[in-house]
């Protein structure tokens, strides 16, 4: 199975576990990883992925930078304020601190000339009807790829998204899924696009235990 992973990995948590499972599987050919803004800025995710792959003894797996952090600066400010005031709880979100939470301790290599959306489009042509996209964070990189080539869904075998949740009645914390909230335009674009989708909401993610 040929897979491209798109993630906002912030520190060793759920996305890190997913990365471990993909690397450990004999059935998976992991072609690359995109860093997306979400739990932390995409630039920090790129650094975190570099360190993660070193830790998992896969340092040569290519990483591709995602949509730059500046696009989301206002949204992150809103998120931080809401968490501080305890007026909102973001489901599936980590890293709402003021400072960077990248956990690399050594130099991170320069970003490649291709970004995540470049690589998604390239792989979709090279592995038409074979490529599986797995998106564990906000969908900004995928939306950017769609903006550049709206025929992308026709070449992708399947798209797996971790996002959304089932709201609880009378929830005083007004819980919302962070991945969709952070880039709602990208989430709406995926909803309106004819991908072969598998949507895994937060509720199901919590109920499924890796063994």
């Amino acid at each position: 199975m040929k897979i491209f992973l798109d993630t906002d990995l912030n520190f060793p948590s759920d996305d890190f576990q997913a990365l471990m499972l993909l690397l450990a599987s004999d059935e998976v050919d992991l072609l690359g990883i995109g860093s997306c803004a979400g739990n932390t800025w995409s630039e920090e995710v790129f650094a975190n992925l570099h360190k993660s792959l070193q830790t998992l003894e896969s340092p040569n797996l290519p990483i591709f930078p995602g949509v730059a952090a500046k696009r989301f600066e206002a949204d992150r400010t809103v998120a931080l304020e809401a968490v501080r005031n305890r007026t909102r709880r973001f489901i599936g979100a980590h890293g709402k601190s003021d400072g960077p939470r990248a956990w690399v301790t050594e130099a991170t290599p320069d970003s490649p000339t291709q970004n995540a959306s470049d690589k998604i489009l390239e792989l979709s042509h090279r592995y038409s009807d074979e490529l599986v996209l797995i998106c564990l964070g906000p969908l900004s990189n995928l939306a950017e790829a769609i903006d550049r080539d709206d025929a992308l869904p026709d070449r992708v075998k399947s798209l797996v998204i971790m996002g959304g949740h089932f709201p609880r009645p009378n929830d005083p914390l007004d819980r919302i899924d962070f991945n969709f909230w952070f880039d709602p335009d990208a989430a709406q674009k995926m909803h309106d696009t004819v991908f072969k989708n598998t949507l895994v909401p937060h509720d199901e993610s919590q109920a499924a235990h890796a063994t």
Side-chain angles (χ1 to χ4, degrees), residues 154-167:
D154 297 333
R155 301 189 300 272
V156 171
K157 181 179 180 180
S158 65
L159 167 65
V160 180
I161 296 171
M162 182 175 72
H165 83 294
F166 295 102

Side-chain angles (χ1 to χ4, degrees), residues 1-6 18-19 22-23 25 27-33 53 61-62 132 134:
M1 184 183 302
K2 299 189 181 300
I3 290 176
F4 184 85
L5 176 68
D6 198 58
L19 178 58
L22 289 172
L23 291 172
S25 174
E27 299 178 6
V28 169
D29 181 8
L30 188 56
L31 302 171
I33 309 175
L53 291 174
L61 189 66
V132 175
I134 299 179

Side-chain angles (χ1 to χ4, degrees), residues 71-72 75 138-141 143 178-188:
R71 171 175 164 185
F72 303 103
D75 284 344
L139 300 169
S140 314
N141 294 334
F178 179 80
N179 286 348
F180 286 1
W181 174 87
F182 194 77
D183 193 345
D185 292 338
Q188 185 64 50

Side-chain angles (χ1 to χ4, degrees), residues 133-154:
L133 300 175
I134 299 179
C135 298
L136 301 181
L139 300 169
S140 314
N141 294 334
L142 187 55
E144 184 176 74
I146 292 272
D147 285 340
R148 294 171 53 193
D149 183 353
D150 59 9
L152 173 63
D154 297 333

